[in-house]
């Protein structure tokens, strides 16, 4: 996990995790009047309870800030949704990268913190298992001198 001064906790994924997102137009508190776009694909580079950095092939018009983004993904094998507003955009070769500032309540932020801790533990165990498998498999192979 990497920490930034302004944030309590930010988890950077070695391999970005995938998910989907929708654009929400209207008042989130009035679900009946809320317009929701079709789902687009995203890949999350890093995440904190306060937001995330993600990539997508879609070029979102951030100059017009009258919409929210609702992202759906899994953390520690549990589905989660984060809603927020785009605060920055960076064009890349085949996609765009965005910074999303979450508008979630404290309860949702606490759930994200809990899942990030769980994700980190799972990730750490996988790293240890992979190291053990790599070390074990290299010991099983004979060296060149033994083959001749």
């Amino acid at each position: 996990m990497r920490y930034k001064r302004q944030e309590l906790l930010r988890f950077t994924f070695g391999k970005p995790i995938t998910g989907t997102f929708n654009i929400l137009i209207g008042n989130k508190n009035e679900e009946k009047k809320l317009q929701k776009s079709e789902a687009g694909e995203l890949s999350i580079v890093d995440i904190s309870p306060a937001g995330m950095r993600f990539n997508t092939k879609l070029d979102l018009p951030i100059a017009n800030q009258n919409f929210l983004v609702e992202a759906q993904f899994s953390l520690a094998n549990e589905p989660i949704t984060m809603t927020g507003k785009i605060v920055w955009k960076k064009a890349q070769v085949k996609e765009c990268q965005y910074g999303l500032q979450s508008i979630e309540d404290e309860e949702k932020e606490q759930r994200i913190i809990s899942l990030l801790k769980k994700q980190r533990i799972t990730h750490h165990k996988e790293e240890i298992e992979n190291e053990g498998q790599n070390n074990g498999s290299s010991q099983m192979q004979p060296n060149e001198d033994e083959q001749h």
Side-chain angles (χ1 to χ4, degrees):
M1 278 179 255
R2 295 184 184 170
Y3 296 91
K4 292 189 176 185
R5 287 184 191 158
Q6 301 86 3
E7 300 178 61
L8 299 174
L9 172 70
R10 177 165 293 273
F11 187 87
T12 301
F13 300 99
K15 178 183 174 191
I17 62 170
T18 59
T20 60
F21 72 95
N22 301 87
I23 301 296
L24 306 177
I25 299 173
N27 188 341
K28 188 179 179 202
N29 298 327
E30 298 178 33
E31 299 242 357
K32 291 180 182 177
K33 295 181 181 178
L34 195 63
Q35 295 178 344
K36 194 174 196 176
S37 73
E38 290 187 30
E41 293 181 8
L42 62 73
S43 58
I44 301 170
V45 177
D46 62 38
I47 188 169
S48 77
M52 70 172 76
R53 180 168 44 131
F54 70 92
N55 297 328
T56 182
K57 292 180 182 178
L58 300 173
D59 188 357
L60 304 175
I62 68 164
N64 183 4
Q65 284 291 316
N66 66 349
F67 67 88
L68 296 173
V69 172
E70 181 181 72
Q72 301 87 26
F73 52 95
S74 291
L75 270 180
N77 296 319
E78 291 189 37
I80 192 154
T81 300
M82 179 185 280
T83 304
K85 57 186 174 179
I86 302 291
V87 292
W88 59 264
K89 172 182 178 179
K90 183 178 175 184
Q92 297 180 326
V93 178
K94 294 184 180 181
E95 57 191 12
C96 291
Q97 188 169 84
Y98 298 93
L100 180 90
Q101 181 180 13
S102 174
I103 59 166
E104 302 296 353
D105 59 18
E106 193 170 325
E107 183 179 325
K108 178 70 83 71
E109 287 182 0
Q110 290 303 315
R111 181 166 182 250
I112 291 169
I113 289 170
S114 172
L115 291 174
L116 284 173
K117 289 177 180 178
K118 207 180 214 184
Q119 178 86 18
R120 178 64 185 136
I121 290 167
T122 303
H123 179 74
H124 185 66
K125 285 180 182 177
E126 287 173 358
E127 284 179 338
I128 291 171
E129 287 173 4
N130 287 339
E131 283 179 17
Q133 288 175 357
N134 290 340
N135 289 340
S137 63
S138 63
Q139 291 174 354
M140 302 282 267
Q141 297 174 354
N143 64 33
E144 288 183 26
D145 295 336
E146 293 174 344
Q147 290 178 351
H148 297 290

